[in-house]
Amino acid sequence: MSEQPLYQLDQIKRIINKDKIILDIDSLCLPQGELTAIVGPNGAGKSTLLNILAFLEKPDQGSIHYQGRPVRPKDFFSLRRQVTMVDQAPLLFRGSVFENVAYGLRVRGVPRQEWPSRVGKALSLVDLSGFEDRSVKGLSGGETQRVAIARALVFFPQVVLLDEPTAGVDVARMDMVESLVKELYIATGVSILFSTHNLAQAYRLTDRVIHLAGGKRVPSSTENLFSGQAGKESDAGLVHLKCGTTIRTSSARTGLVRFSIPAAAVEVEPFLTLEDHTNHFDSIITRMELRGTKVRLLLKGRINLRAEMPPEDLQRKGLMLGSRVTAFVPPEAIHLLQGEP
Amino acid sequence: MSLEVFNIMGISLRVSLCATALATLVSVPSGFILAVSSFRGKRALVTTINTLMALPTVVVGLLVYILLSRSGPLGSFGILYTPTAIIVGQFILALPIITAITYAAVSSVDERVRKTAESLGASPFQASWMVLKEGRVGIIAAIIAGFGRVIAEVGSAIMVGGNIRGYTRTMTTAITLETSKGNFYLGLTLGVILLVAALSINMIVAHFLGRKT
C-alpha cells in the first residue's frame, strides 16, 4: 500500500481585512517523514502557511487532507494534538523547565508518574539533561529555544513545525540550531517543516525546499531568488542587483523587486567571448550533483546561479567541475515575484 | 472592650472577605472575557468600568438602601440592616475594581501564551486557563485592590448596615461612631487595628505569590 502524503493542500486561500489575500496556494503535497524547508522573504506567507499546517489557523478557502483524510473544521482541535509548532521567538511559561516541558503531557492527561522520564528524554534530545529544576527566567536565548523544542517533542508529535528557528540569531547559534534540527530529524524520524528566509540554509539542511513569495508558491523547487532595484521608465526591465550587476527582465516594474529564475531555465555554455554581455555571466562550476535525471550545477561568478541540465548535454559540451562557463539567463525566464507595477 | 473589638473585626473581615470573594467570582471571568474578546462598544464599556471604580460609597449605599428598603423592589427579602446588605453594597463596590484590573492584567499577557498553549495541544479552556495563570500576579493584585476598597469603605456599610452593635458594626462604622462621640484615641486605635489586619492579609498573599512566581 502506498503511503499517504502527510499534507495535501488544494486551492488554499487565507484572506484578511475582507479582501487582502495573504496566502494563495494552488497545490502543495508534503510526504511523511521528510525534512522540508519553506523559504521566502518577509511577508511571503511562511508563518501563515505554518499556522495552517499546525491547525492553529483555518484557511478561508480550499481543502486540506492530512494523512489522506479530509480535514473538517471540527477536526482542528484533535489534529492540533498530533502536530506542534515552535515559534521563531519561543515563549516559555512562568515556572521551571520541567513544568514547561511537561505542559503537553499535562493537557493530554498523561499520568504524572510518566512525566519525569519523558521530560528527561526530551531534554536529553536537545542536550539539556539536568535542567528540569531550573527556572526559565535564568535561561539564555539558545537554552530557551532548546527547551521550547524539547517541550514540542515530549508528546511524540507526528509533525514538528519550526517558524524561522534561526531568525535574528548570531552565527554560532545558527550553527547550533541547524545541527539540532538535523540531529532531531535523524534521531526521531519525525516530519519536520521549518521556515527560513535564508535560501542557502534551506539547501544546507534539505533538498526539499518550498518557495513562497507574495503569499504564493513559486512553482519551481530549484530556482534562483534575487532582489534588486528596478530601473527608471527609460530603461524599463533592467534590475540593478546589490552586487553591482544589472539583469534584464521582461517586466517593466519600478522600485524594489524580487524575482526568481528557475534553475532549468539557466543556459550554460563553455566560456564565450561576447560583445553583448546582457544577462550573460562569466562563471565557474563549483558543484555538480546528480538529481534524478538531471545534473544540478552551482555556478559562481558575479552572481551565483543554480542551473540544471541533462548529463548528456553536460558531456556533449565538455563541462566539468571547475570549468569556466558562460551562463545565460533569458529575460523571459525571469519570474517576477514582487514589485511596484 | 477588647472582646467587642474582636467581634467588630470579625464582622468586618467576614463581610468584606465574603463580598470580595463573590465579586471575584463575577469580575475575574468578566475582566478576562473583556480582555480576550473584541466587540462593538468595547472601548466605551472599559471606560465605563474604569469610571465606576470611582463610584462614591455613599451613592452605592443609597442605591442599595432604595433597593432593599421595605418599599423597594427587593424589600420583601428583609435584609436591610443586616450583614448581607453590607455584603451586597461592598460587592457592588468591588466589582468594577476587580474587573478593570483583571482586564488590564489579562490584556498585558503576551499574546503568544494562548497560541503556544494551543500549539502544544491545549483545549480552548486549557489555553484560557494558561492565560489566566500567566496573568495571575495582576489578577491577585486586582483582588487585593478590591478587598482594600471594601474593608476601608464606610458610606455603604453605615447606610445599609445601620451600625448595629454586635451585628452590623464594622471597623469603619465603629471608627465613625467613636469619632462622632469625641473618642479620637479609640477611633485611631481601631484604624490602626484595621490597617494591621489588611497588612496581615497582604503579607499572606505576598508570601503565596513569592512561592509561586
Side-chain angles (χ1 to χ4, degrees):
Chain A
M1 196 179 81
S2 65
E3 196 177 51
Q4 295 281 4
L6 185 65
Y7 290 98
Q8 173 69 50
L9 274 62
D10 291 295
Q11 305 298 326
I12 290 290
K13 275 191 183 167
R14 182 80 180 92
I15 303 164
I16 58 164
N17 299 335
K18 290 182 182 171
D19 57 357
K20 190 181 177 193
I21 300 171
I22 56 167
L23 191 71
D24 184 359
I25 304 277
D26 287 343
S27 175
L28 179 63
C29 183
L30 297 168
Q32 307 228 23
E34 293 271 351
L35 176 60
T36 308
I38 300 170
V39 184
N42 289 339
K46 303 188 296 292
S47 295
T48 307
L49 177 59
L50 285 181
N51 280 336
I52 288 172
L53 296 177
F55 303 109
L56 292 169
E57 212 170 301
K58 289 176 186 165
D60 297 289
Q61 289 176 26
S63 68
I64 306 172
H65 282 70
Y66 180 74
Q67 296 187 330
R69 291 182 185 168
V71 176
R72 297 160 298 175
K74 64 176 184 177
D75 299 327
F76 266 59
F77 172 60
S78 58
L79 289 174
R80 208 183 281 156
R81 293 202 156 181
Q82 298 173 33
V83 180
T84 189
M85 185 155 123
V86 179
D87 270 325
Q88 56 181 283
L91 176 136
L92 297 183
F93 304 130
R94 286 174 201 241
S96 67
V97 169
F98 181 89
E99 285 168 332
N100 267 274
V101 179
Y103 184 74
L105 304 175
R106 178 191 294 273
V107 296
R108 282 168 177 75
V110 174
R112 274 177 186 266
Q113 58 268 31
E114 288 183 28
W115 295 6
S117 65
R118 287 178 67 169
V119 169
K121 276 180 195 165
L123 285 173
S124 70
L125 274 172
V126 295
D127 204 22
L128 285 181
S129 294
F131 270 60
E132 283 89 336
D133 296 329
R134 293 268 289 266
S135 166
V136 297
K137 281 182 183 170
L139 298 178
S140 68
E143 286 166 348
T144 298
Q145 199 155 27
R146 283 189 281 166
V147 170
I149 293 173
R151 185 174 62 178
L153 292 171
V154 75
F155 46 84
F156 310 132
Q158 291 170 358
V159 187
V160 176
L161 304 161
L162 305 168
D163 190 7
E164 300 233 23
T166 56
V169 303
D170 56 34
V171 176
R173 207 169 121 202
M174 182 151 63
D175 285 347
M176 182 277 287
V177 175
E178 283 184 13
S179 308
L180 183 61
V181 170
K182 200 87 183 174
E183 282 165 18
L184 286 175
Y185 176 63
I186 294 165
T188 62
V190 68
S191 302
I192 298 178
L193 283 98
F194 69 97
S195 64
T196 177
H197 55 261
N198 185 337
L199 190 63
Q201 179 187 56
Y203 281 107
R204 264 201 304 276
L205 289 171
T206 179
D207 286 321
R208 182 169 289 281
V209 179
I210 294 161
H211 294 272
L212 285 183
K216 293 191 174 187
R217 191 179 169 198
V218 179
S220 174
S221 63
T222 51
E223 62 187 341
N224 301 283
L225 288 173
F226 291 104
S227 63
Q229 194 71 28
K232 293 172 186 168
E233 282 178 25
S234 55
D235 51 12
L238 287 186
V239 175
H240 307 287
L241 305 183
K242 280 181 187 167
C243 59
T245 305
T246 300
I247 198 162
R248 178 167 290 284
T249 70
S250 57
S251 304
R253 299 286 175 114
T254 56
L256 189 67
V257 293
R258 289 186 56 79
F259 55 85
S260 75
I261 306 162
V266 177
E267 295 170 14
V268 184
E269 298 291 340
F271 178 68
L272 304 165
T273 308
L274 298 163
E275 285 186 13
D276 180 10
H277 285 88
T278 308
N279 288 15
H280 287 82
F281 302 100
D282 182 4
S283 311
I284 302 286
I285 301 175
T286 58
R287 202 201 285 179
M288 298 170 85
E289 290 170 358
L290 187 62
R291 296 279 163 179
T293 57
K294 289 191 173 177
V295 176
R296 191 180 296 171
L297 308 176
L298 187 64
L299 311 175
K300 290 218 167 179
R302 288 190 74 181
I303 60 169
N304 295 339
L305 287 165
R306 288 172 189 277
E308 264 184 10
M309 62 169 60
E312 51 273 23
D313 281 9
L314 203 70
Q315 205 170 12
R316 184 169 49 78
K317 292 176 182 176
L319 302 179
M320 58 187 74
L321 200 65
S323 291
R324 188 177 179 189
V325 295
T326 297
F328 173 61
V329 179
E332 59 278 9
I334 299 173
H335 181 61
L336 195 81
L337 303 174
Q338 277 180 323
E340 294 165 18
Chain B
M1 183 62 203
S2 62
L3 192 66
E4 190 177 355
V5 170
F6 272 116
N7 183 31
I8 295 170
M9 192 71 235
I11 293 168
S12 266
L13 285 177
R14 206 163 53 241
V15 293
S16 296
L17 285 173
C18 195
T20 310
L22 289 172
T24 299
L25 286 177
V26 177
S27 299
V28 171
S30 305
F32 176 79
I33 291 166
L34 196 59
V36 298
S37 59
S38 56
F39 54 88
R40 204 182 167 93
K42 177 176 169 174
R43 190 177 289 182
L45 181 59
V46 171
T47 307
T48 306
I49 292 168
N50 286 338
T51 307
L52 287 175
M53 286 202 289
L55 199 61
T57 58
V58 285
V59 173
V60 172
L62 184 60
L63 286 172
V64 176
Y65 183 87
I66 292 167
L67 283 173
L68 301 181
S69 64
R70 199 174 288 273
S71 57
L74 302 175
S76 57
F77 288 101
I79 56 170
L80 191 64
Y81 301 131
T82 65
T84 309
I86 306 177
I87 290 170
V88 172
Q90 293 190 347
F91 168 79
I92 294 169
L93 283 168
L95 272 182
I97 291 181
I98 303 178
T99 306
I101 303 177
T102 299
Y103 165 76
V106 175
S107 297
S108 65
V109 171
D110 195 318
E111 285 180 358
R112 292 174 299 160
V113 169
R114 174 176 289 277
K115 188 187 166 194
T116 303
E118 286 181 341
S119 76
L120 293 167
S123 66
F125 178 78
Q126 288 169 325
S128 296
W129 183 248
M130 182 47 88
V131 173
L132 269 178
K133 270 181 79 177
E134 290 293 300
R136 63 180 177 262
V137 175
I139 293 168
I140 289 169
I143 297 167
I144 289 173
F147 177 73
R149 164 85 153 156
V150 297
I151 192 86
E153 76 87 19
V154 62
S156 168
I158 211 160
M159 285 178 82
V160 300
N163 199 15
I164 302 165
R165 187 177 183 183
Y167 185 49
T168 57
R169 181 163 297 167
T170 63
M171 291 298 278
T172 51
T173 59
I175 293 168
T176 310
L177 179 70
E178 295 307 326
T179 307
S180 65
K181 284 158 57 182
N183 295 331
F184 300 126
Y185 179 74
L186 185 57
L188 274 175
T189 308
L190 289 171
V192 170
I193 293 170
L194 181 67
L195 275 177
V196 169
L199 177 70
S200 307
I201 289 170
N202 277 315
M203 283 174 69
I204 293 166
V205 174
H207 175 71
F208 172 76
L209 275 180
R211 279 201 341 214
K212 286 282 180 182
T213 55

mmCIF file of all heavy atoms in Angstrom, chain A residues 267-292:
data_model
loop_
_atom_site.group_PDB
_atom_site.id
_atom_site.type_symbol
_atom_site.label_atom_id
_atom_site.label_comp_id
_atom_site.label_asym_id
_atom_site.label_seq_id
_atom_site.Cartn_x
_atom_site.Cartn_y
_atom_site.Cartn_z
ATOM 1 N N GLU A 267 20.846 28.852 -19.104
ATOM 2 C CA GLU A 267 21.574 28.158 -20.185
ATOM 3 C C GLU A 267 23.069 28.247 -19.901
ATOM 4 O O GLU A 267 23.588 29.332 -19.627
ATOM 5 C CB GLU A 267 21.248 28.816 -21.524
ATOM 6 C CG GLU A 267 19.782 28.638 -21.901
ATOM 7 C CD GLU A 267 19.387 29.476 -23.101
ATOM 8 O OE1 GLU A 267 20.293 29.995 -23.811
ATOM 9 O OE2 GLU A 267 18.166 29.625 -23.324
ATOM 10 N N VAL A 268 23.749 27.110 -19.944
ATOM 11 C CA VAL A 268 25.179 27.069 -19.619
ATOM 12 C C VAL A 268 25.954 26.602 -20.844
ATOM 13 O O VAL A 268 25.650 25.560 -21.433
ATOM 14 C CB VAL A 268 25.436 26.126 -18.425
ATOM 15 C CG1 VAL A 268 26.907 26.154 -18.023
ATOM 16 C CG2 VAL A 268 24.548 26.493 -17.246
ATOM 17 N N GLU A 269 26.927 27.407 -21.229
ATOM 18 C CA GLU A 269 27.775 27.076 -22.385
ATOM 19 C C GLU A 269 29.238 27.218 -21.970
ATOM 20 O O GLU A 269 29.538 27.958 -21.026
ATOM 21 C CB GLU A 269 27.504 28.068 -23.539
ATOM 22 C CG GLU A 269 26.085 28.058 -24.074
ATOM 23 C CD GLU A 269 25.738 26.775 -24.812
ATOM 24 O OE1 GLU A 269 26.666 26.054 -25.238
ATOM 25 O OE2 GLU A 269 24.531 26.480 -24.929
ATOM 26 N N PRO A 270 30.133 26.507 -22.681
ATOM 27 C CA PRO A 270 31.557 26.760 -22.410
ATOM 28 C C PRO A 270 31.841 28.254 -22.594
ATOM 29 O O PRO A 270 31.141 28.932 -23.352
ATOM 30 C CB PRO A 270 32.270 25.916 -23.479
ATOM 31 C CG PRO A 270 31.284 24.875 -23.862
ATOM 32 C CD PRO A 270 29.931 25.485 -23.719
ATOM 33 N N PHE A 271 32.873 28.751 -21.904
ATOM 34 C CA PHE A 271 33.111 30.194 -21.862
ATOM 35 C C PHE A 271 33.132 30.814 -23.270
ATOM 36 O O PHE A 271 33.772 30.298 -24.182
ATOM 37 C CB PHE A 271 34.451 30.474 -21.161
ATOM 38 C CG PHE A 271 34.781 31.937 -21.126
ATOM 39 C CD1 PHE A 271 34.031 32.809 -20.347
ATOM 40 C CD2 PHE A 271 35.834 32.441 -21.883
ATOM 41 C CE1 PHE A 271 34.322 34.154 -20.323
ATOM 42 C CE2 PHE A 271 36.129 33.786 -21.859
ATOM 43 C CZ PHE A 271 35.366 34.658 -21.076
ATOM 44 N N LEU A 272 32.390 31.893 -23.438
ATOM 45 C CA LEU A 272 32.286 32.578 -24.717
ATOM 46 C C LEU A 272 32.767 34.020 -24.544
ATOM 47 O O LEU A 272 32.522 34.631 -23.498
ATOM 48 C CB LEU A 272 30.827 32.630 -25.188
ATOM 49 C CG LEU A 272 30.068 31.315 -25.321
ATOM 50 C CD1 LEU A 272 28.571 31.585 -25.437
ATOM 51 C CD2 LEU A 272 30.553 30.551 -26.537
ATOM 52 N N THR A 273 33.425 34.537 -25.550
ATOM 53 C CA THR A 273 33.769 35.958 -25.528
ATOM 54 C C THR A 273 32.671 36.685 -26.289
ATOM 55 O O THR A 273 32.438 36.405 -27.459
ATOM 56 C CB THR A 273 35.135 36.193 -26.198
ATOM 57 O OG1 THR A 273 36.066 35.307 -25.589
ATOM 58 C CG2 THR A 273 35.605 37.623 -26.021
ATOM 59 N N LEU A 274 31.977 37.563 -25.616
ATOM 60 C CA LEU A 274 30.798 38.192 -26.205
ATOM 61 C C LEU A 274 30.938 39.697 -26.242
ATOM 62 O O LEU A 274 31.623 40.295 -25.413
ATOM 63 C CB LEU A 274 29.558 37.840 -25.361
ATOM 64 C CG LEU A 274 29.191 36.377 -25.265
ATOM 65 C CD1 LEU A 274 28.252 36.164 -24.103
ATOM 66 C CD2 LEU A 274 28.549 35.906 -26.552
ATOM 67 N N GLU A 275 30.271 40.294 -27.219
ATOM 68 C CA GLU A 275 30.226 41.765 -27.254
ATOM 69 C C GLU A 275 29.071 42.249 -26.383
ATOM 70 O O GLU A 275 29.190 43.226 -25.652
ATOM 71 C CB GLU A 275 30.036 42.245 -28.697
ATOM 72 C CG GLU A 275 31.299 42.115 -29.511
ATOM 73 C CD GLU A 275 31.151 42.719 -30.883
ATOM 74 O OE1 GLU A 275 30.166 43.451 -31.135
ATOM 75 O OE2 GLU A 275 32.043 42.465 -31.713
ATOM 76 N N ASP A 276 27.957 41.563 -26.489
ATOM 77 C CA ASP A 276 26.801 41.943 -25.669
ATOM 78 C C ASP A 276 26.750 41.033 -24.442
ATOM 79 O O ASP A 276 26.538 39.828 -24.570
ATOM 80 C CB ASP A 276 25.519 41.786 -26.498
ATOM 81 C CG ASP A 276 24.283 42.159 -25.700
ATOM 82 O OD1 ASP A 276 24.433 42.706 -24.583
ATOM 83 O OD2 ASP A 276 23.167 41.902 -26.197
ATOM 84 N N HIS A 277 26.980 41.643 -23.291
ATOM 85 C CA HIS A 277 27.033 40.838 -22.078
ATOM 86 C C HIS A 277 25.703 40.771 -21.338
ATOM 87 O O HIS A 277 25.625 40.234 -20.248
ATOM 88 C CB HIS A 277 28.096 41.394 -21.118
ATOM 89 C CG HIS A 277 29.478 41.074 -21.564
ATOM 90 N ND1 HIS A 277 30.176 41.886 -22.425
ATOM 91 C CD2 HIS A 277 30.282 40.012 -21.290
ATOM 92 C CE1 HIS A 277 31.349 41.346 -22.663
ATOM 93 N NE2 HIS A 277 31.449 40.201 -21.988
ATOM 94 N N THR A 278 24.644 41.316 -21.925
ATOM 95 C CA THR A 278 23.360 41.372 -21.224
ATOM 96 C C THR A 278 22.910 39.973 -20.803
ATOM 97 O O THR A 278 22.789 39.066 -21.648
ATOM 98 C CB THR A 278 22.278 42.003 -22.135
ATOM 99 O OG1 THR A 278 22.777 43.232 -22.609
ATOM 100 C CG2 THR A 278 20.974 42.203 -21.379
ATOM 101 N N ASN A 279 22.734 39.825 -19.513
ATOM 102 C CA ASN A 279 22.259 38.556 -18.909
ATOM 103 C C ASN A 279 23.209 37.383 -19.147
ATOM 104 O O ASN A 279 22.817 36.227 -18.987
ATOM 105 C CB ASN A 279 20.846 38.196 -19.390
ATOM 106 C CG ASN A 279 19.792 39.104 -18.786
ATOM 107 O OD1 ASN A 279 20.127 40.161 -18.246
ATOM 108 N ND2 ASN A 279 18.542 38.706 -18.857
ATOM 109 N N HIS A 280 24.436 37.670 -19.551
ATOM 110 C CA HIS A 280 25.452 36.629 -19.675
ATOM 111 C C HIS A 280 26.415 36.782 -18.494
ATOM 112 O O HIS A 280 26.876 37.888 -18.215
ATOM 113 C CB HIS A 280 26.224 36.761 -20.991
ATOM 114 C CG HIS A 280 25.414 36.348 -22.184
ATOM 115 N ND1 HIS A 280 24.509 37.196 -22.781
ATOM 116 C CD2 HIS A 280 25.368 35.169 -22.872
ATOM 117 C CE1 HIS A 280 23.943 36.564 -23.810
ATOM 118 N NE2 HIS A 280 24.440 35.339 -23.884
ATOM 119 N N PHE A 281 26.716 35.689 -17.847
ATOM 120 C CA PHE A 281 27.559 35.767 -16.645
ATOM 121 C C PHE A 281 28.732 34.795 -16.757
ATOM 122 O O PHE A 281 28.520 33.600 -16.978
ATOM 123 C CB PHE A 281 26.720 35.466 -15.392
ATOM 124 C CG PHE A 281 25.560 36.388 -15.230
ATOM 125 C CD1 PHE A 281 24.281 36.000 -15.612
ATOM 126 C CD2 PHE A 281 25.746 37.682 -14.744
ATOM 127 C CE1 PHE A 281 23.213 36.859 -15.495
ATOM 128 C CE2 PHE A 281 24.674 38.551 -14.625
ATOM 129 C CZ PHE A 281 23.412 38.142 -15.002
ATOM 130 N N ASP A 282 29.900 35.366 -16.595
ATOM 131 C CA ASP A 282 31.136 34.579 -16.610
ATOM 132 C C ASP A 282 31.218 33.837 -15.263
ATOM 133 O O ASP A 282 31.253 34.473 -14.210
ATOM 134 C CB ASP A 282 32.314 35.547 -16.782
ATOM 135 C CG ASP A 282 33.646 34.822 -16.869
ATOM 136 O OD1 ASP A 282 33.637 33.578 -16.864
ATOM 137 O OD2 ASP A 282 34.678 35.521 -16.936
ATOM 138 N N SER A 283 31.213 32.512 -15.294
ATOM 139 C CA SER A 283 31.110 31.745 -14.034
ATOM 140 C C SER A 283 32.023 30.526 -14.037
ATOM 141 O O SER A 283 32.556 30.133 -15.084
ATOM 142 C CB SER A 283 29.672 31.248 -13.817
ATOM 143 O OG SER A 283 28.748 32.282 -13.984
ATOM 144 N N ILE A 284 32.187 29.944 -12.855
ATOM 145 C CA ILE A 284 32.939 28.702 -12.685
ATOM 146 C C ILE A 284 31.992 27.657 -12.077
ATOM 147 O O ILE A 284 31.225 27.982 -11.159
ATOM 148 C CB ILE A 284 34.142 28.897 -11.724
ATOM 149 C CG1 ILE A 284 35.092 29.992 -12.228
ATOM 150 C CG2 ILE A 284 34.887 27.587 -11.472
ATOM 151 C CD1 ILE A 284 35.941 29.591 -13.417
ATOM 152 N N ILE A 285 32.027 26.441 -12.559
ATOM 153 C CA ILE A 285 31.191 25.389 -11.959
ATOM 154 C C ILE A 285 31.869 24.936 -10.663
ATOM 155 O O ILE A 285 32.993 24.406 -10.690
ATOM 156 C CB ILE A 285 31.021 24.187 -12.908
ATOM 157 C CG1 ILE A 285 30.367 24.617 -14.225
ATOM 158 C CG2 ILE A 285 30.208 23.079 -12.249
ATOM 159 C CD1 ILE A 285 30.274 23.526 -15.279
ATOM 160 N N THR A 286 31.214 25.173 -9.556
ATOM 161 C CA THR A 286 31.833 24.823 -8.265
ATOM 162 C C THR A 286 31.176 23.602 -7.620
ATOM 163 O O THR A 286 31.683 23.084 -6.627
ATOM 164 C CB THR A 286 31.745 25.993 -7.275
ATOM 165 O OG1 THR A 286 30.375 26.334 -7.115
ATOM 166 C CG2 THR A 286 32.530 27.192 -7.761
ATOM 167 N N ARG A 287 30.053 23.201 -8.137
ATOM 168 C CA ARG A 287 29.432 21.991 -7.583
ATOM 169 C C ARG A 287 28.568 21.318 -8.647
ATOM 170 O O ARG A 287 27.917 21.990 -9.438
ATOM 171 C CB ARG A 287 28.542 22.343 -6.384
ATOM 172 C CG ARG A 287 28.327 21.113 -5.482
ATOM 173 C CD ARG A 287 27.130 21.233 -4.609
ATOM 174 N NE ARG A 287 27.306 22.140 -3.493
ATOM 175 C CZ ARG A 287 26.342 22.394 -2.608
ATOM 176 N NH1 ARG A 287 25.160 21.839 -2.732
ATOM 177 N NH2 ARG A 287 26.553 23.211 -1.622
ATOM 178 N N MET A 288 28.622 19.993 -8.650
ATOM 179 C CA MET A 288 27.785 19.227 -9.588
ATOM 180 C C MET A 288 27.147 18.086 -8.804
ATOM 181 O O MET A 288 27.849 17.335 -8.140
ATOM 182 C CB MET A 288 28.634 18.653 -10.735
ATOM 183 C CG MET A 288 29.299 19.713 -11.582
ATOM 184 S SD MET A 288 30.497 19.026 -12.738
ATOM 185 C CE MET A 288 29.446 18.582 -14.078
ATOM 186 N N GLU A 289 25.841 17.985 -8.888
ATOM 187 C CA GLU A 289 25.144 16.905 -8.176
ATOM 188 C C GLU A 289 24.127 16.280 -9.109
ATOM 189 O O GLU A 289 23.403 16.996 -9.798
ATOM 190 C CB GLU A 289 24.384 17.447 -6.950
ATOM 191 C CG GLU A 289 25.262 17.910 -5.824
ATOM 192 C CD GLU A 289 24.469 18.666 -4.753
ATOM 193 O OE1 GLU A 289 23.248 18.854 -4.914
ATOM 194 O OE2 GLU A 289 25.091 19.069 -3.761
ATOM 195 N N LEU A 290 24.083 14.953 -9.116
ATOM 196 C CA LEU A 290 23.084 14.278 -9.928
ATOM 197 C C LEU A 290 21.779 14.239 -9.137
ATOM 198 O O LEU A 290 21.726 13.719 -8.018
ATOM 199 C CB LEU A 290 23.547 12.850 -10.262
ATOM 200 C CG LEU A 290 22.659 12.081 -11.249
ATOM 201 C CD1 LEU A 290 22.601 12.776 -12.609
ATOM 202 C CD2 LEU A 290 23.123 10.644 -11.392
ATOM 203 N N ARG A 291 20.748 14.849 -9.662
ATOM 204 C CA ARG A 291 19.428 14.875 -9.013
ATOM 205 C C ARG A 291 18.425 14.279 -9.979
ATOM 206 O O ARG A 291 18.037 14.925 -10.958
ATOM 207 C CB ARG A 291 19.007 16.306 -8.679
ATOM 208 C CG ARG A 291 19.898 16.953 -7.673
ATOM 209 C CD ARG A 291 19.522 16.510 -6.271
ATOM 210 N NE ARG A 291 20.614 16.800 -5.359
ATOM 211 C CZ ARG A 291 20.586 16.545 -4.073
ATOM 212 N NH1 ARG A 291 19.537 15.982 -3.539
ATOM 213 N NH2 ARG A 291 21.610 16.829 -3.304
ATOM 214 N N GLY A 292 18.037 13.043 -9.731
ATOM 215 C CA GLY A 292 17.093 12.371 -10.625
ATOM 216 C C GLY A 292 17.730 12.189 -11.990
ATOM 217 O O GLY A 292 18.795 11.590 -12.114
#
